[in-house]
Amino acid sequence: MSLSEDADPSEQRAARPAAANTQPTRVTFNRLELHRILNLYGRMVADGEWRDYAIDFLRDRAVFSVYRRASEVPIYRIEKDPRLARKQGMYSVISATGLILRRGHELERVLLVIDRKLAVV
């Protein structure tokens, strides 16, 4: 099916079979999740603790990796894995050694493990 310049893209989307839309090809962070993660990232960059990041949208999970320096392994990975939504929770923060620091159903609570300013002492 070719898409001409005059065609309305919404009409082309409606013409697809319903079965093709049931299985997403990639897991992604939504706008609110990215806003929360990038807000934390911006504060940590301002504090001089983090310097770089990478986002990977894979078939089974979305990963936001945080680096102290661009040439190193990530110091933290913030992962979203929808397969775990009904179990331990789809969000997790993983350290550079692979240790799961926190896992849960709410991104806000999971990020508290690395967000020192919002953590209750």
Side-chain angles (χ1 to χ4, degrees):
M1 176 186 294
S2 65
L3 189 65
S4 69
E5 292 180 23
D6 297 334
D8 183 13
S10 61
E11 291 174 7
Q12 297 297 329
R13 246 183 262 130
R16 291 183 188 157
N21 292 333
T22 59
Q23 185 73 16
T25 57
R26 294 184 193 166
V27 176
T28 61
F29 292 109
N30 65 33
R31 184 181 300 257
L32 294 174
E33 293 164 342
L34 272 178
H35 176 72
R36 176 63 183 102
I37 293 169
L38 289 173
N39 189 16
L40 170 63
Y41 175 78
R43 281 194 319 237
M44 295 301 237
V45 167
D47 289 344
E49 294 189 35
W50 296 352
R51 300 217 189 279
D52 200 8
Y53 73 91
I55 301 177
D56 296 308
F57 297 128
L58 307 172
R59 286 184 162 242
D60 59 339
R61 67 186 187 276
V63 182
F64 187 94
S65 303
V66 177
Y67 298 86
R68 191 170 310 242
R69 290 178 194 83
S71 61
E72 296 180 348
V73 296
I75 54 174
Y76 295 112
R77 289 188 336 255
I78 301 163
E79 293 192 1
K80 176 182 178 180
D81 189 346
R83 295 173 301 170
L84 301 174
R86 293 189 174 180
K87 297 177 183 174
Q88 305 100 323
M90 74 172 123
Y91 301 106
S92 59
V93 173
I94 303 169
S95 71
T97 60
L99 178 69
I100 297 174
L101 301 176
R102 185 171 287 175
R103 178 175 281 154
H105 297 282
E106 299 172 16
L107 181 61
E108 288 285 332
R109 297 193 59 131
V110 171
L111 290 179
L112 286 176
V113 74
I114 53 178
D115 192 356
R116 295 184 191 103
K117 291 186 179 183
L118 294 179
V120 178
V121 179

